Amino acid sequence: MEGALTSLGAWDSAAALELGAALLKEPSYALSSLAYIVAAGFSRSAPVPYVVLVAGIGVGSVVQHGPDPSFADLAHDIPLAGILVFVAADAAAALTGNSRRWWWWAAPLAALVPTILIAPLAADLVQVGMAAIAIALMLARARTEPDARRRILLGIGLLAVGGSIGRLSEAGWPLHTPDAIIQGHDIWHLLSAAALVVLAPLVGRHRGSLRAEQLHGPSKAEEPRAASVTARRRSASNWATRSAPAS
């Protein structure tokens, strides 16, 4: 009886290990991907699509580094490319003084889907191009908006450092340490998530968006924030009125 229980326990342990290996093919990477979920929580001042895309990066990364199903490339690449074109569209709106149009970022993102399915390597190259355009537009915005410059440079700096560490930590590169608890790709996840939090307050906060709010009122995504700001202003005004000495 004791031997049977021992064998059963050993079988359960082996089955649990096999299940864990199937669900988490790269446990460290999957765990560090949760940094994007946390980043989305700290980015709630940004427009809703931005927050959803940041969270989506985390979900897609967990899917890719975890069970890695057949749709992993789509789950990983769509939100990642989405945040690139969204930031690029927002920077373009800031530079031109226009409000951001949804199709500026949704159209190129939709066009990328067939490429991801048919030619994943080509899709990777397209995303590199998207990143280069987003960075160029953000740097142009930093040049024209002194108030935004510090956040933009800090965000791009975090991305540059994280990307460099991630690249240099790949197999055959100087920082490749496969036995380390924290891998270079983990650092990329953490620093890029931090960069998205740094950039979040700038997204949708420029002359074009302010002009659109003045003409048409806040968008549906901005209505809760606008209502909260209005309520605080009214509260402060009422407090000042009550506190003023009677003449």
Side-chain angles (χ1 to χ4, degrees):
M1 183 66 177
E2 183 177 351
L5 291 175
T6 302
S7 298
L8 180 60
W11 183 85
D12 286 343
S13 298
L17 289 173
E18 289 180 5
L19 179 61
L23 293 178
L24 292 175
K25 297 185 181 301
E26 297 171 314
S28 174
Y29 298 168
L31 182 61
S32 61
S33 297
L34 298 177
Y36 297 107
I37 308 294
V38 176
F42 282 101
S43 302
R44 287 177 295 176
S45 63
V48 171
Y50 183 91
V51 179
V52 172
L53 288 169
V54 172
I57 293 174
V59 174
S61 189
V62 169
V63 168
Q64 187 179 63
H65 296 302
D68 193 24
S70 58
F71 58 87
D73 282 345
L74 270 179
H76 178 271
D77 290 359
I78 288 298
L80 181 57
I83 205 70
L84 293 173
V85 291
F86 190 87
V87 169
D90 192 74
L95 290 167
T96 58
N98 295 314
S99 59
R100 184 188 59 251
R101 307 297 184 186
W102 67 269
W103 48 268
W104 287 6
W105 61 274
L109 183 59
L112 182 65
V113 173
T115 308
I116 295 174
L117 294 173
I118 299 171
L121 293 179
D124 290 343
L125 293 176
V126 172
Q127 290 175 73
V128 171
M130 288 177 170
I133 292 171
I135 290 173
L137 289 172
M138 289 295 287
L139 288 174
R141 182 180 177 184
R143 187 169 53 110
T144 59
E145 292 186 37
D147 292 342
R149 188 172 300 154
R150 183 176 180 181
R151 279 189 176 275
I152 291 173
L153 294 180
L154 176 58
I156 292 176
L158 288 169
L159 292 172
V161 172
S164 298
I165 292 174
R167 179 62 174 168
L168 292 173
S169 299
E170 294 179 0
W173 290 80
L175 299 183
H176 180 59
T177 52
D179 298 328
I181 296 176
I182 298 179
Q183 299 289 316
H185 197 67
D186 296 320
I187 296 175
W188 157 248
H189 285 166
L190 298 175
L191 292 185
S192 58
L196 293 172
V197 174
V198 169
L199 295 174
L202 299 178
V203 180
R205 305 291 186 268
H206 46 75
R207 291 171 297 174
S209 62
L210 292 176
R211 186 184 300 119
E213 284 191 16
Q214 291 170 355
L215 293 175
H216 310 293
S219 65
K220 293 294 183 182
E222 295 294 314
E223 281 179 359
R225 185 184 66 86
S228 176
V229 171
T230 301
R232 288 199 299 269
R233 287 175 178 172
R234 287 177 179 170
S235 177
S237 177
N238 292 337
W239 180 85
T241 302
R242 291 194 303 268
S243 302
S247 55

